[in-house]
Amino acid sequence: MTLTCKKSDLSNVKCLVTCDSGYSYDAYSPIYSCVNGIWEHVTVTNPTARLDPCQRVVVPVSKTLETSYSIPTMGPAICKFFPDVSCALKDLLSNMDCVASGDCEVEEDSL
């Protein structure tokens, strides 16, 4: 972890947290400010202005998301609408960010 700080004037400092390769900073913001000698991230639960550590980036080997859905029985008329529901669900799942990036895929088990 590297902390790069710059003084904006005599009493204000801004610091930027950067992490080594393979690590990321998961805190709310990587920028910390000290205004008039007081760090803005000092709280009751963090009275010493401790910074969160960088976390190792771990890419999972695989991810599985199983979904199921049911359609209320409305008699034989529902049969003609089932393909539309199935297609709508497949379209919804296919538009997930991980599908677009290639990190996951949609498999049709029993639609």
Side-chain angles (χ1 to χ4, degrees), residues 19-87:
C19 300
D20 296 337
S21 179
Y23 289 80
S24 70
Y25 198 66
D26 293 333
Y28 174 72
S29 172
I31 299 172
Y32 292 91
S33 298
C34 182
V35 179
N36 296 322
I38 299 171
W39 287 103
E40 291 181 336
H41 63 287
V42 169
T43 64
V44 173
T45 58
N46 188 14
T48 59
R50 182 186 58 80
L51 299 176
D52 292 324
C54 292
Q55 301 292 323
R56 180 179 265 306
V57 175
V58 178
V59 179
V61 175
S62 67
K63 303 175 211 175
T64 302
L65 171 65
E66 292 185 31
T67 62
S68 64
Y69 60 95
S70 60
I71 301 170
T73 304
M74 294 186 281
I78 191 62
C79 292
K80 73 177 186 177
F81 296 112
F82 181 76
D84 295 336
V85 172
S86 180
C87 283

Short mmCIF file of all heavy atoms in Angstrom, two decimals, residues 19-87:
data_model
loop_
_atom_site.label_atom_id
_atom_site.label_comp_id
_atom_site.label_asym_id
_atom_site.label_seq_id
_atom_site.Cartn_x
_atom_site.Cartn_y
_atom_site.Cartn_z
N CYS A 19 -2.72 0.57 -4.21
CA CYS A 19 -2.32 -0.77 -3.78
C CYS A 19 -1.36 -1.39 -4.78
O CYS A 19 -1.35 -1.03 -5.96
CB CYS A 19 -3.55 -1.66 -3.65
SG CYS A 19 -4.74 -1.04 -2.43
N ASP A 20 -0.57 -2.34 -4.30
CA ASP A 20 0.35 -3.08 -5.16
C ASP A 20 -0.45 -3.90 -6.17
O ASP A 20 -1.63 -4.18 -5.97
CB ASP A 20 1.23 -4.01 -4.32
CG ASP A 20 2.14 -3.25 -3.37
OD1 ASP A 20 2.43 -2.06 -3.65
OD2 ASP A 20 2.57 -3.83 -2.36
N SER A 21 0.20 -4.30 -7.23
CA SER A 21 -0.43 -5.13 -8.25
C SER A 21 -1.00 -6.40 -7.62
O SER A 21 -0.35 -7.03 -6.78
CB SER A 21 0.61 -5.50 -9.31
OG SER A 21 0.03 -6.32 -10.29
N GLY A 22 -2.22 -6.75 -8.01
CA GLY A 22 -2.86 -7.94 -7.45
C GLY A 22 -3.68 -7.64 -6.20
O GLY A 22 -4.26 -8.55 -5.62
N TYR A 23 -3.71 -6.37 -5.79
CA TYR A 23 -4.47 -5.97 -4.62
C TYR A 23 -5.38 -4.80 -5.00
O TYR A 23 -5.12 -4.07 -5.95
CB TYR A 23 -3.54 -5.52 -3.49
CG TYR A 23 -2.79 -6.66 -2.85
CD1 TYR A 23 -1.65 -7.19 -3.45
CD2 TYR A 23 -3.22 -7.22 -1.66
CE1 TYR A 23 -0.96 -8.25 -2.88
CE2 TYR A 23 -2.54 -8.28 -1.07
CZ TYR A 23 -1.42 -8.78 -1.68
OH TYR A 23 -0.75 -9.83 -1.11
N SER A 24 -6.47 -4.65 -4.25
CA SER A 24 -7.37 -3.52 -4.51
C SER A 24 -7.79 -2.90 -3.19
O SER A 24 -7.71 -3.53 -2.13
CB SER A 24 -8.60 -3.96 -5.30
OG SER A 24 -9.44 -4.76 -4.51
N TYR A 25 -8.24 -1.66 -3.28
CA TYR A 25 -8.67 -0.94 -2.09
C TYR A 25 -10.18 -0.90 -2.10
O TYR A 25 -10.80 -0.28 -2.96
CB TYR A 25 -8.08 0.47 -2.09
CG TYR A 25 -8.13 1.11 -0.72
CD1 TYR A 25 -7.38 0.60 0.32
CD2 TYR A 25 -8.94 2.21 -0.47
CE1 TYR A 25 -7.41 1.16 1.57
CE2 TYR A 25 -8.98 2.78 0.79
CZ TYR A 25 -8.21 2.25 1.80
OH TYR A 25 -8.26 2.82 3.04
N ASP A 26 -10.79 -1.59 -1.15
CA ASP A 26 -12.24 -1.75 -1.13
C ASP A 26 -12.98 -0.75 -0.25
O ASP A 26 -14.18 -0.85 -0.09
CB ASP A 26 -12.61 -3.17 -0.68
CG ASP A 26 -12.17 -4.21 -1.69
OD1 ASP A 26 -12.08 -3.88 -2.87
OD2 ASP A 26 -11.93 -5.36 -1.28
N ALA A 27 -12.27 0.19 0.31
CA ALA A 27 -12.92 1.18 1.18
C ALA A 27 -13.81 2.10 0.34
O ALA A 27 -13.73 2.13 -0.88
CB ALA A 27 -11.88 1.99 1.93
N TYR A 28 -14.64 2.86 1.02
CA TYR A 28 -15.58 3.77 0.36
C TYR A 28 -14.88 4.69 -0.63
O TYR A 28 -15.33 4.91 -1.73
CB TYR A 28 -16.34 4.57 1.42
CG TYR A 28 -17.24 5.64 0.85
CD1 TYR A 28 -18.41 5.29 0.20
CD2 TYR A 28 -16.90 6.98 0.93
CE1 TYR A 28 -19.24 6.26 -0.34
CE2 TYR A 28 -17.73 7.95 0.39
CZ TYR A 28 -18.89 7.58 -0.24
OH TYR A 28 -19.69 8.53 -0.78
N SER A 29 -13.75 5.24 -0.22
CA SER A 29 -13.00 6.14 -1.09
C SER A 29 -11.51 5.97 -0.84
O SER A 29 -11.08 5.82 0.30
CB SER A 29 -13.39 7.59 -0.80
OG SER A 29 -12.56 8.48 -1.51
N PRO A 30 -10.70 6.00 -1.90
CA PRO A 30 -9.25 5.89 -1.71
C PRO A 30 -8.61 7.24 -1.38
O PRO A 30 -7.39 7.34 -1.26
CB PRO A 30 -8.76 5.37 -3.05
CG PRO A 30 -9.73 5.94 -4.03
CD PRO A 30 -11.07 5.97 -3.31
N ILE A 31 -9.42 8.30 -1.25
CA ILE A 31 -8.88 9.64 -0.95
C ILE A 31 -9.24 10.02 0.48
O ILE A 31 -10.40 9.92 0.89
CB ILE A 31 -9.44 10.68 -1.93
CG1 ILE A 31 -9.04 10.33 -3.36
CG2 ILE A 31 -8.97 12.08 -1.56
CD1 ILE A 31 -9.69 11.18 -4.43
N TYR A 32 -8.25 10.45 1.22
CA TYR A 32 -8.44 10.86 2.61
C TYR A 32 -7.98 12.30 2.76
O TYR A 32 -6.96 12.69 2.21
CB TYR A 32 -7.66 9.94 3.55
CG TYR A 32 -8.23 8.54 3.57
CD1 TYR A 32 -7.76 7.57 2.69
CD2 TYR A 32 -9.26 8.22 4.43
CE1 TYR A 32 -8.31 6.30 2.69
CE2 TYR A 32 -9.80 6.95 4.44
CZ TYR A 32 -9.33 6.00 3.56
OH TYR A 32 -9.87 4.75 3.56
N SER A 33 -8.74 13.08 3.53
CA SER A 33 -8.42 14.49 3.72
C SER A 33 -8.18 14.81 5.19
O SER A 33 -8.86 14.28 6.06
CB SER A 33 -9.57 15.37 3.21
OG SER A 33 -9.76 15.17 1.84
N CYS A 34 -7.23 15.70 5.41
CA CYS A 34 -6.97 16.24 6.74
C CYS A 34 -7.25 17.74 6.65
O CYS A 34 -6.61 18.46 5.88
CB CYS A 34 -5.52 15.99 7.13
SG CYS A 34 -5.13 16.57 8.79
N VAL A 35 -8.26 18.17 7.39
CA VAL A 35 -8.67 19.58 7.36
C VAL A 35 -8.46 20.17 8.75
O VAL A 35 -8.97 19.66 9.73
CB VAL A 35 -10.15 19.70 6.93
CG1 VAL A 35 -10.59 21.15 6.93
CG2 VAL A 35 -10.37 19.06 5.57
N ASN A 36 -7.67 21.22 8.79
CA ASN A 36 -7.35 21.89 10.06
C ASN A 36 -6.81 20.92 11.11
O ASN A 36 -7.16 20.99 12.28
CB ASN A 36 -8.57 22.64 10.60
CG ASN A 36 -8.99 23.76 9.67
OD1 ASN A 36 -8.16 24.44 9.09
ND2 ASN A 36 -10.29 23.94 9.52
N GLY A 37 -5.98 19.99 10.65
CA GLY A 37 -5.32 19.06 11.58
C GLY A 37 -6.16 17.87 12.00
O GLY A 37 -5.75 17.09 12.85
N ILE A 38 -7.35 17.68 11.41
CA ILE A 38 -8.22 16.55 11.79
C ILE A 38 -8.53 15.73 10.54
O ILE A 38 -9.04 16.24 9.54
CB ILE A 38 -9.54 17.05 12.42
CG1 ILE A 38 -9.23 17.86 13.68
CG2 ILE A 38 -10.45 15.88 12.74
CD1 ILE A 38 -10.43 18.56 14.25
N TRP A 39 -8.21 14.43 10.60
CA TRP A 39 -8.53 13.54 9.49
C TRP A 39 -10.04 13.35 9.41
O TRP A 39 -10.70 13.09 10.41
CB TRP A 39 -7.85 12.19 9.67
CG TRP A 39 -6.38 12.25 9.41
CD1 TRP A 39 -5.38 12.26 10.33
CD2 TRP A 39 -5.74 12.35 8.13
NE1 TRP A 39 -4.16 12.36 9.73
CE2 TRP A 39 -4.35 12.41 8.36
CE3 TRP A 39 -6.19 12.39 6.82
CZ2 TRP A 39 -3.42 12.50 7.33
CZ3 TRP A 39 -5.27 12.48 5.79
CH2 TRP A 39 -3.90 12.53 6.05
N GLU A 40 -10.59 13.48 8.21
CA GLU A 40 -12.04 13.40 8.03
C GLU A 40 -12.60 11.99 8.28
O GLU A 40 -13.78 11.84 8.55
CB GLU A 40 -12.44 13.87 6.63
CG GLU A 40 -12.24 15.36 6.45
CD GLU A 40 -12.66 15.84 5.07
OE1 GLU A 40 -12.66 15.04 4.11
OE2 GLU A 40 -12.98 17.02 4.96
N HIS A 41 -11.76 10.98 8.23
CA HIS A 41 -12.27 9.62 8.46
C HIS A 41 -12.15 9.18 9.92
O HIS A 41 -12.39 8.02 10.24
CB HIS A 41 -11.58 8.61 7.51
CG HIS A 41 -10.11 8.48 7.70
ND1 HIS A 41 -9.22 9.46 7.31
CD2 HIS A 41 -9.37 7.49 8.22
CE1 HIS A 41 -7.99 9.06 7.59
NE2 HIS A 41 -8.06 7.87 8.14
N VAL A 42 -11.85 10.09 10.82
CA VAL A 42 -11.87 9.79 12.25
C VAL A 42 -13.33 9.68 12.68
O VAL A 42 -14.14 10.55 12.39
CB VAL A 42 -11.16 10.89 13.07
CG1 VAL A 42 -11.41 10.71 14.56
CG2 VAL A 42 -9.67 10.89 12.78
N THR A 43 -13.66 8.58 13.32
CA THR A 43 -15.02 8.36 13.81
C THR A 43 -14.94 7.79 15.22
O THR A 43 -13.85 7.49 15.72
CB THR A 43 -15.79 7.36 12.92
OG1 THR A 43 -15.13 6.08 12.99
CG2 THR A 43 -15.88 7.84 11.48
N VAL A 44 -16.09 7.57 15.81
CA VAL A 44 -16.13 6.96 17.14
C VAL A 44 -15.54 5.55 17.07
O VAL A 44 -14.83 5.13 17.98
CB VAL A 44 -17.59 6.92 17.66
CG1 VAL A 44 -17.69 6.13 18.95
CG2 VAL A 44 -18.12 8.33 17.85
N THR A 45 -15.83 4.84 15.98
CA THR A 45 -15.30 3.48 15.85
C THR A 45 -13.90 3.43 15.25
O THR A 45 -13.28 2.38 15.22
CB THR A 45 -16.25 2.62 14.98
OG1 THR A 45 -16.40 3.24 13.70
CG2 THR A 45 -17.60 2.44 15.64
N ASN A 46 -13.40 4.56 14.77
CA ASN A 46 -12.04 4.65 14.22
C ASN A 46 -11.36 5.92 14.74
O ASN A 46 -11.01 6.81 13.97
CB ASN A 46 -12.11 4.65 12.67
CG ASN A 46 -10.73 4.54 12.04
OD1 ASN A 46 -9.75 4.21 12.68
ND2 ASN A 46 -10.68 4.82 10.75
N PRO A 47 -11.14 5.99 16.04
CA PRO A 47 -10.60 7.23 16.64
C PRO A 47 -9.15 7.52 16.25
O PRO A 47 -8.71 8.66 16.36
CB PRO A 47 -10.74 6.99 18.14
CG PRO A 47 -10.74 5.51 18.29
CD PRO A 47 -11.40 4.97 17.05
N THR A 48 -8.41 6.52 15.79
CA THR A 48 -7.00 6.73 15.42
C THR A 48 -6.81 6.92 13.92
O THR A 48 -5.68 6.91 13.44
CB THR A 48 -6.14 5.55 15.91
OG1 THR A 48 -6.62 4.35 15.30
CG2 THR A 48 -6.16 5.43 17.42
N ALA A 49 -7.90 7.07 13.17
CA ALA A 49 -7.86 7.31 11.72
C ALA A 49 -7.15 6.19 10.97
O ALA A 49 -6.41 6.42 10.03
CB ALA A 49 -7.23 8.66 11.41
N ARG A 50 -7.40 4.96 11.40
CA ARG A 50 -6.78 3.78 10.75
C ARG A 50 -7.32 3.67 9.32
O ARG A 50 -8.48 3.90 9.05
CB ARG A 50 -7.13 2.53 11.55
CG ARG A 50 -6.54 1.26 11.02
CD ARG A 50 -7.04 0.04 11.79
NE ARG A 50 -8.49 -0.10 11.77
CZ ARG A 50 -9.18 -0.60 10.75
NH1 ARG A 50 -8.57 -1.00 9.66
NH2 ARG A 50 -10.49 -0.72 10.81
N LEU A 51 -6.44 3.29 8.39
CA LEU A 51 -6.84 3.06 7.01
C LEU A 51 -7.14 1.58 6.81
O LEU A 51 -6.50 0.72 7.41
CB LEU A 51 -5.72 3.47 6.05
CG LEU A 51 -5.30 4.93 6.07
CD1 LEU A 51 -4.13 5.15 5.13
CD2 LEU A 51 -6.46 5.83 5.69
N ASP A 52 -8.12 1.29 5.96
CA ASP A 52 -8.41 -0.10 5.63
C ASP A 52 -7.24 -0.67 4.83
O ASP A 52 -6.62 0.05 4.05
CB ASP A 52 -9.69 -0.19 4.81
CG ASP A 52 -10.93 0.19 5.61
OD1 ASP A 52 -10.96 -0.12 6.81
OD2 ASP A 52 -11.84 0.79 5.03
N PRO A 53 -6.96 -1.95 4.97
CA PRO A 53 -5.86 -2.55 4.22
C PRO A 53 -6.28 -2.85 2.78
O PRO A 53 -7.45 -2.96 2.45
CB PRO A 53 -5.58 -3.85 4.97
CG PRO A 53 -6.89 -4.22 5.57
CD PRO A 53 -7.57 -2.90 5.91
N CYS A 54 -5.29 -2.98 1.91
CA CYS A 54 -5.54 -3.45 0.55
C CYS A 54 -5.89 -4.94 0.63
O CYS A 54 -5.35 -5.65 1.48
CB CYS A 54 -4.30 -3.26 -0.32
SG CYS A 54 -3.90 -1.53 -0.65
N GLN A 55 -6.78 -5.36 -0.23
CA GLN A 55 -7.22 -6.76 -0.23
C GLN A 55 -6.70 -7.45 -1.49
O GLN A 55 -6.71 -6.86 -2.57
CB GLN A 55 -8.75 -6.84 -0.21
CG GLN A 55 -9.39 -6.17 0.98
CD GLN A 55 -9.09 -6.91 2.27
OE1 GLN A 55 -9.03 -8.13 2.31
NE2 GLN A 55 -8.87 -6.16 3.33
N ARG A 56 -6.27 -8.69 -1.33
CA ARG A 56 -5.81 -9.47 -2.48
C ARG A 56 -6.99 -9.72 -3.41
O ARG A 56 -8.07 -10.07 -2.98
CB ARG A 56 -5.22 -10.80 -2.03
CG ARG A 56 -4.73 -11.65 -3.21
CD ARG A 56 -4.13 -12.95 -2.77
NE ARG A 56 -2.70 -12.99 -2.60
CZ ARG A 56 -1.78 -12.65 -3.48
NH1 ARG A 56 -2.12 -12.15 -4.62
NH2 ARG A 56 -0.50 -12.79 -3.24
N VAL A 57 -6.78 -9.50 -4.71
CA VAL A 57 -7.80 -9.76 -5.71
C VAL A 57 -7.80 -11.26 -5.99
O VAL A 57 -6.78 -11.82 -6.37
CB VAL A 57 -7.53 -8.97 -7.01
CG1 VAL A 57 -8.53 -9.35 -8.09
CG2 VAL A 57 -7.56 -7.47 -6.74
N VAL A 58 -8.94 -11.89 -5.78
CA VAL A 58 -9.07 -13.32 -6.02
C VAL A 58 -10.15 -13.51 -7.07
O VAL A 58 -11.30 -13.14 -6.87
CB VAL A 58 -9.45 -14.08 -4.73
CG1 VAL A 58 -9.62 -15.56 -5.01
CG2 VAL A 58 -8.41 -13.84 -3.66
N VAL A 59 -9.76 -14.08 -8.19
CA VAL A 59 -10.72 -14.36 -9.26
C VAL A 59 -11.18 -15.79 -9.10
O VAL A 59 -10.36 -16.72 -9.14
CB VAL A 59 -10.07 -14.16 -10.65
CG1 VAL A 59 -11.07 -14.48 -11.75
CG2 VAL A 59 -9.55 -12.73 -10.78
N PRO A 60 -12.47 -16.00 -8.87
CA PRO A 60 -12.95 -17.37 -8.67
C PRO A 60 -12.79 -18.20 -9.94
O PRO A 60 -12.88 -17.68 -11.06
CB PRO A 60 -14.43 -17.20 -8.32
CG PRO A 60 -14.78 -15.82 -8.73
CD PRO A 60 -13.53 -15.02 -8.78
N VAL A 61 -12.55 -19.47 -9.76
CA VAL A 61 -12.39 -20.37 -10.89
C VAL A 61 -13.72 -20.52 -11.62
O VAL A 61 -13.80 -20.53 -12.83
CB VAL A 61 -11.87 -21.75 -10.42
CG1 VAL A 61 -11.83 -22.74 -11.57
CG2 VAL A 61 -10.51 -21.60 -9.78
N SER A 62 -14.79 -20.60 -10.85
CA SER A 62 -16.11 -20.69 -11.48
C SER A 62 -17.16 -20.10 -10.53
O SER A 62 -16.96 -20.05 -9.33
CB SER A 62 -16.45 -22.13 -11.82
OG SER A 62 -16.63 -22.88 -10.63
N LYS A 63 -18.23 -19.68 -11.13
CA LYS A 63 -19.36 -19.15 -10.37
C LYS A 63 -20.61 -19.83 -10.91
O LYS A 63 -20.73 -20.05 -12.12
CB LYS A 63 -19.53 -17.65 -10.56
CG LYS A 63 -18.34 -16.82 -10.22
CD LYS A 63 -18.64 -15.37 -10.57
CE LYS A 63 -17.36 -14.68 -10.95
NZ LYS A 63 -17.52 -13.35 -11.42
N THR A 64 -21.52 -20.15 -10.03
CA THR A 64 -22.78 -20.75 -10.47
C THR A 64 -23.92 -19.99 -9.83
O THR A 64 -23.92 -19.73 -8.63
CB THR A 64 -22.85 -22.23 -10.06
OG1 THR A 64 -21.75 -22.92 -10.62
CG2 THR A 64 -24.15 -22.86 -10.52
N LEU A 65 -24.86 -19.63 -10.64
CA LEU A 65 -26.09 -19.00 -10.17
C LEU A 65 -27.23 -19.85 -10.67
O LEU A 65 -27.42 -20.01 -11.87
CB LEU A 65 -26.22 -17.57 -10.71
CG LEU A 65 -27.55 -16.87 -10.48
CD1 LEU A 65 -27.77 -16.64 -8.99
CD2 LEU A 65 -27.61 -15.57 -11.23
N GLU A 66 -27.94 -20.46 -9.74
CA GLU A 66 -29.08 -21.27 -10.12
C GLU A 66 -30.34 -20.49 -9.85
O GLU A 66 -30.49 -19.87 -8.80
CB GLU A 66 -29.09 -22.58 -9.33
CG GLU A 66 -27.94 -23.50 -9.70
CD GLU A 66 -28.03 -24.84 -9.00
OE1 GLU A 66 -29.15 -25.30 -8.72
OE2 GLU A 66 -26.96 -25.40 -8.74
N THR A 67 -31.23 -20.49 -10.81
CA THR A 67 -32.50 -19.80 -10.65
C THR A 67 -33.63 -20.75 -10.95
O THR A 67 -33.48 -21.72 -11.69
CB THR A 67 -32.61 -18.59 -11.60
OG1 THR A 67 -32.56 -19.06 -12.95
CG2 THR A 67 -31.53 -17.57 -11.35
N SER A 68 -34.75 -20.49 -10.34
CA SER A 68 -35.96 -21.23 -10.68
C SER A 68 -37.12 -20.26 -10.62
O SER A 68 -37.05 -19.23 -9.94
CB SER A 68 -36.17 -22.40 -9.72
OG SER A 68 -36.38 -21.92 -8.41
N TYR A 69 -38.11 -20.56 -11.34
CA TYR A 69 -39.30 -19.71 -11.33
C TYR A 69 -40.52 -20.59 -11.55
O TYR A 69 -40.43 -21.69 -12.07
CB TYR A 69 -39.21 -18.62 -12.40
CG TYR A 69 -39.07 -19.13 -13.81
CD1 TYR A 69 -40.18 -19.29 -14.62
CD2 TYR A 69 -37.82 -19.46 -14.33
CE1 TYR A 69 -40.07 -19.76 -15.91
CE2 TYR A 69 -37.69 -19.93 -15.62
CZ TYR A 69 -38.82 -20.08 -16.41
OH TYR A 69 -38.69 -20.55 -17.68
N SER A 70 -41.64 -20.12 -11.11
CA SER A 70 -42.88 -20.86 -11.32
C SER A 70 -43.90 -19.91 -11.92
O SER A 70 -43.87 -18.70 -11.70
CB SER A 70 -43.39 -21.45 -10.01
OG SER A 70 -43.63 -20.42 -9.08
N ILE A 71 -44.77 -20.49 -12.68
CA ILE A 71 -45.82 -19.72 -13.33
C ILE A 71 -47.14 -20.18 -12.75
O ILE A 71 -47.42 -21.39 -12.73
CB ILE A 71 -45.80 -19.95 -14.86
CG1 ILE A 71 -44.44 -19.55 -15.42
CG2 ILE A 71 -46.94 -19.20 -15.53
CD1 ILE A 71 -44.23 -19.95 -16.85
N PRO A 72 -47.94 -19.26 -12.22
CA PRO A 72 -49.22 -19.67 -11.64
C PRO A 72 -50.09 -20.35 -12.71
O PRO A 72 -50.11 -19.94 -13.86
CB PRO A 72 -49.85 -18.38 -11.16
CG PRO A 72 -49.01 -17.28 -11.66
CD PRO A 72 -47.74 -17.83 -12.18
N THR A 73 -50.75 -21.39 -12.30
CA THR A 73 -51.60 -22.12 -13.23
C THR A 73 -52.83 -21.28 -13.57
O THR A 73 -53.56 -20.84 -12.70
CB THR A 73 -52.05 -23.45 -12.61
OG1 THR A 73 -50.89 -24.17 -12.24
CG2 THR A 73 -52.86 -24.27 -13.57
N MET A 74 -53.00 -21.07 -14.86
CA MET A 74 -54.16 -20.34 -15.34
C MET A 74 -54.89 -21.17 -16.39
O MET A 74 -55.43 -20.67 -17.35
CB MET A 74 -53.73 -18.99 -15.94
CG MET A 74 -53.16 -18.05 -14.91
SD MET A 74 -52.83 -16.41 -15.59
CE MET A 74 -51.29 -16.68 -16.43
N GLY A 75 -54.82 -22.47 -16.23
CA GLY A 75 -55.50 -23.34 -17.18
C GLY A 75 -54.67 -23.54 -18.44
O GLY A 75 -53.51 -23.15 -18.51
N PRO A 76 -55.24 -24.12 -19.46
CA PRO A 76 -54.51 -24.43 -20.68
C PRO A 76 -53.98 -23.21 -21.41
O PRO A 76 -53.03 -23.30 -22.17
CB PRO A 76 -55.54 -25.16 -21.55
CG PRO A 76 -56.73 -25.41 -20.70
CD PRO A 76 -56.61 -24.59 -19.47
N ALA A 77 -54.55 -22.04 -21.16
CA ALA A 77 -54.10 -20.83 -21.87
C ALA A 77 -52.65 -20.49 -21.55
O ALA A 77 -51.97 -19.89 -22.38
CB ALA A 77 -55.01 -19.65 -21.50
N ILE A 78 -52.14 -20.88 -20.38
CA ILE A 78 -50.77 -20.54 -20.01
C ILE A 78 -49.77 -21.22 -20.93
O ILE A 78 -48.68 -20.70 -21.18
CB ILE A 78 -50.47 -20.87 -18.52
CG1 ILE A 78 -49.13 -20.26 -18.09
CG2 ILE A 78 -50.45 -22.36 -18.30
CD1 ILE A 78 -49.08 -18.77 -18.14
N CYS A 79 -50.11 -22.36 -21.48
CA CYS A 79 -49.19 -23.10 -22.34
C CYS A 79 -48.76 -22.27 -23.55
O CYS A 79 -47.61 -22.33 -23.95
CB CYS A 79 -49.83 -24.40 -22.81
SG CYS A 79 -50.05 -25.58 -21.46
N LYS A 80 -49.64 -21.49 -24.10
CA LYS A 80 -49.26 -20.71 -25.27
C LYS A 80 -48.36 -19.54 -24.91
O LYS A 80 -47.65 -19.02 -25.75
CB LYS A 80 -50.49 -20.25 -26.06
CG LYS A 80 -51.30 -19.16 -25.42
CD LYS A 80 -52.44 -18.77 -26.35
CE LYS A 80 -53.18 -17.58 -25.79
NZ LYS A 80 -54.24 -17.12 -26.67
N PHE A 81 -48.33 -19.09 -23.62
CA PHE A 81 -47.49 -17.98 -23.20
C PHE A 81 -46.15 -18.44 -22.63
O PHE A 81 -45.24 -17.65 -22.47
CB PHE A 81 -48.20 -17.11 -22.15
CG PHE A 81 -49.42 -16.43 -22.68
CD1 PHE A 81 -50.68 -16.79 -22.22
CD2 PHE A 81 -49.31 -15.44 -23.65
CE1 PHE A 81 -51.81 -16.17 -22.72
CE2 PHE A 81 -50.44 -14.82 -24.15
CZ PHE A 81 -51.69 -15.19 -23.69
N PHE A 82 -46.00 -19.73 -22.32
CA PHE A 82 -44.78 -20.22 -21.68
C PHE A 82 -43.53 -19.91 -22.49
O PHE A 82 -42.53 -19.46 -21.93
CB PHE A 82 -44.86 -21.72 -21.39
CG PHE A 82 -43.63 -22.23 -20.71
CD1 PHE A 82 -43.42 -21.97 -19.35
CD2 PHE A 82 -42.66 -22.92 -21.40
CE1 PHE A 82 -42.28 -22.41 -18.72
CE2 PHE A 82 -41.51 -23.37 -20.78
CZ PHE A 82 -41.33 -23.11 -19.44
N PRO A 83 -43.52 -20.11 -23.82
CA PRO A 83 -42.29 -19.77 -24.57
C PRO A 83 -41.90 -18.30 -24.42
O PRO A 83 -40.72 -17.99 -24.34
CB PRO A 83 -42.66 -20.11 -26.02
CG PRO A 83 -43.72 -21.14 -25.89
CD PRO A 83 -44.51 -20.74 -24.66
N ASP A 84 -42.87 -17.39 -24.34
CA ASP A 84 -42.57 -15.97 -24.16
C ASP A 84 -41.91 -15.72 -22.81
O ASP A 84 -40.95 -14.96 -22.70
CB ASP A 84 -43.84 -15.12 -24.28
CG ASP A 84 -44.43 -15.17 -25.68
OD1 ASP A 84 -43.68 -15.45 -26.63
OD2 ASP A 84 -45.65 -14.93 -25.80
N VAL A 85 -42.42 -16.37 -21.77
CA VAL A 85 -41.85 -16.21 -20.42
C VAL A 85 -40.44 -16.77 -20.40
O VAL A 85 -39.52 -16.15 -19.87
CB VAL A 85 -42.75 -16.89 -19.37
CG1 VAL A 85 -42.07 -16.89 -18.01
CG2 VAL A 85 -44.10 -16.21 -19.30
N SER A 86 -40.26 -17.94 -20.99
CA SER A 86 -38.95 -18.57 -21.03
C SER A 86 -37.94 -17.68 -21.76
O SER A 86 -36.81 -17.49 -21.31
CB SER A 86 -39.06 -19.93 -21.70
OG SER A 86 -37.81 -20.56 -21.74
N CYS A 87 -38.34 -17.12 -22.91
CA CYS A 87 -37.46 -16.24 -23.67
C CYS A 87 -37.14 -14.97 -22.90
O CYS A 87 -36.00 -14.50 -22.91
CB CYS A 87 -38.10 -15.87 -25.01
SG CYS A 87 -37.99 -17.18 -26.22
#
